């Protein structure tokens, strides 16, 4: 049985996306598995969009082997509900696979399930999550993370990535691939792939490093060391690195790489420049170095990304 835990103010796609994936996989595998939506109070539960799902009570999830916790704006209220926390703890203690989508990771952390474990959450909540739960080994650049029987996924649509990974484990990779095709999504975005949604923060930076990031974006072709960046804001390298992480939520080196990859992706997709030229223009220098960065970020090399983009553009 698969149970999806929701609460008032949950994010609809956090629940509906994985439910759709599981439903398709069960049908393809000809293995009926009960999928239940549960909540502390049975009946209609209103999502943040106003759309409601009909939930059963927590008792309906007895015997569940996979518990999926949705995220959403309402998670802050849910954190103070003893019944929810006790239910999640009990499920984990009896060996149930417990997974979270987006900010649902807060519930897992509040229940103590993520202490000393690797986990991820929505990129926009990284700093807040780290401050609240310092014992969690947060991996903010991951689409999903598995640590034993505890799974967590990043922002909203990443719940589908997590569901596909669970489907691959339970039904096999072939069913996961067929499910992805049915959903018209990538079968596997690498679990270690950077959440390039975080580039949105870097594109319109505020605070004391906003002007610096604007300058970086205009000088990606240069060798941008921490020392040089620190000098531009009149700070020592050590102080700069610490302050940058606090302000931006990632290291200077990762921020530079993200900006380089996004610039390179744009050039690869929208220009006829050679891969070598793109690598030089965006500061990678070596095409192989850029290829490895693309695989980490997008799960495929630049040439494949270009082919896929052109094929889509011609339809």
């Amino acid at each position: 049985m698969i149970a999806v835990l929701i609460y008032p103010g949950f994010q609809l796609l956090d629940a509906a996306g994985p439910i759709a994936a599981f439903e398709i996989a069960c049908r393809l595998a000809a293995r009926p598995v009960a999928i239940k939506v549960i909540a502390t109070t049975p009946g209609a539960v209103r999502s943040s969009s106003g759309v409601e799902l009909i939930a059963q009570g927590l008792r309906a999830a007895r015997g569940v082997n996979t518990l999926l916790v949705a995220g959403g704006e309402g998670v802050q209220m849910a954190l103070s509900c003893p019944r929810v926390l006790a239910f999640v703890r009990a499920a984990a203690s009896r060996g149930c696979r417990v997974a979270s989508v987006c900010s649902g990771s807060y519930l897992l952390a509040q229940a103590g399930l993520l202490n000393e474990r690797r986990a991820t959450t929505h990129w926009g909540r990284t700093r807040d999550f780290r401050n609240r739960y310092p014992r969690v080994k947060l991996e903010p650049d991951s689409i999903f993370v598995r640590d034993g029987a505890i799974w967590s996924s990043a922002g909203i649509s990443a719940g589908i990535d997590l569901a596909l990974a669970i489907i691959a484990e339970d039904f096999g990779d072939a069913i996961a691939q067929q499910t992805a095709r049915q959903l018209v999504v990538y079968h596997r975005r690498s679990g270690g792939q950077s959440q390039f949604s975080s580039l949105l923060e870097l594109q319109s930076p505020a605070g004391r490093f906003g002007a610096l990031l604007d300058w970086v974006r205009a000088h990606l072709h240069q060798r941008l060391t921490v020392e040089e960046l620190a000098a531009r804001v009149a700070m020592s390298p050590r102080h700069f690195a610490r302050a940058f992480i606090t302000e931006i939520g990632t290291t200077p080196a990762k921020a530079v790489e993200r900006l380089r990859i996004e610039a390179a992706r744009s050039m690869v997709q929208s220009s006829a420049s050679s891969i070598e030229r793109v690598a030089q223009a965006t500061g990678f220098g070596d095409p192989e170095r850029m290829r490895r960065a693309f695989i980490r970020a997008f799960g495929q090399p630049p040439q494949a990304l270009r082919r896929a983009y052109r094929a889509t553009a011609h339809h």
Side-chain angles (χ1 to χ4, degrees):
M1 180 199 304
I2 299 169
V4 180
L5 177 64
I6 61 174
Y7 43 80
F10 74 98
Q11 165 56 240
L12 187 63
L13 187 58
D14 283 7
I19 287 172
F22 290 133
E23 178 257 323
I24 292 168
C26 291
R27 186 171 68 248
L28 291 171
R31 282 172 52 188
V33 175
I35 305 173
K36 295 185 177 181
V37 177
I38 59 172
T40 53
T41 303
V45 181
R46 189 180 180 88
S47 71
S48 57
S49 68
V51 176
E52 297 177 337
L53 290 185
I54 306 299
Q56 300 180 60
L58 299 180
R59 290 183 180 180
R62 286 178 177 173
V64 64
N65 52 29
T66 298
L67 173 64
L68 194 75
V69 179
E73 293 304 316
V75 73
Q76 299 303 326
M77 290 293 294
L79 293 178
S80 60
C81 178
R83 286 189 64 204
V84 168
L85 298 175
F87 177 80
V88 172
R89 287 190 196 103
S93 67
R94 65 172 181 267
C96 176
R97 175 170 53 203
V98 180
S100 64
V101 180
C102 194
S103 56
S105 56
Y106 278 71
L107 273 172
L108 271 56
Q110 189 74 10
L113 303 190
L114 299 181
N115 289 341
E116 315 309 329
R117 286 184 182 271
R118 296 164 47 246
T120 192
T121 192
H122 190 282
W123 62 270
R125 295 179 179 261
T126 297
R127 270 173 268 175
D128 179 63
F129 190 95
R130 278 181 166 151
N131 289 335
R132 289 199 194 195
Y133 307 109
R135 293 179 63 187
V136 180
K137 300 175 182 177
L138 192 67
E139 298 184 0
D141 286 340
S142 294
I143 292 295
F144 67 87
V145 171
R146 177 186 182 180
D147 193 324
I150 309 298
W151 302 56
S152 54
S153 62
I156 308 177
S157 67
I160 296 175
D161 296 272
L162 180 144
L164 289 171
I166 291 174
I167 288 164
E169 180 168 275
D170 291 357
F171 298 108
D173 208 50
I175 294 296
Q177 290 184 36
Q178 292 176 49
T179 301
R181 284 199 295 270
Q182 187 77 14
L183 290 166
V184 197
V185 298
Y186 285 112
H187 163 225
R188 182 176 290 114
R189 290 190 289 172
S190 170
Q193 175 180 341
S194 290
Q195 292 179 65
F196 279 85
S197 306
S198 56
L199 279 165
L200 296 174
E201 279 193 331
L202 301 182
Q203 286 170 359
S204 301
R208 56 180 160 170
F209 297 124
L212 175 65
L213 288 171
D214 284 340
W215 181 86
V216 168
R217 193 173 294 104
H219 296 82
L220 290 173
H221 60 285
Q222 296 183 10
R223 185 171 176 268
L224 302 171
T225 64
V226 171
E227 289 75 15
E228 181 176 358
L229 297 180
R232 291 199 66 83
V233 289
M235 299 170 70
S236 72
R238 179 177 295 183
H239 183 205
F240 167 71
R242 286 199 303 264
F244 190 92
I245 291 172
T246 300
E247 179 91 15
I248 304 299
T250 189
T251 67
K254 284 186 177 180
V256 169
E257 183 176 68
R258 285 175 182 170
L259 292 172
R260 279 183 168 142
I261 290 176
E262 184 58 21
R265 180 196 61 79
S266 180
M267 287 185 68
V268 164
Q269 291 180 335
S270 62
S271 79
S273 298
S274 68
I275 299 302
E276 291 76 12
R277 171 70 188 123
V278 173
Q280 289 293 331
T282 54
F284 283 105
D286 179 7
E288 175 59 24
R289 182 182 165 206
M290 187 174 82
R291 188 187 74 84
R292 290 194 299 268
F294 266 60
I295 291 174
R296 286 196 304 272
F298 306 118
Q300 54 187 327
Q303 294 89 339
L305 206 67
R306 174 173 277 176
R307 286 195 298 269
Y309 178 79
R310 288 178 176 175
T312 301
H314 291 156
H315 282 79

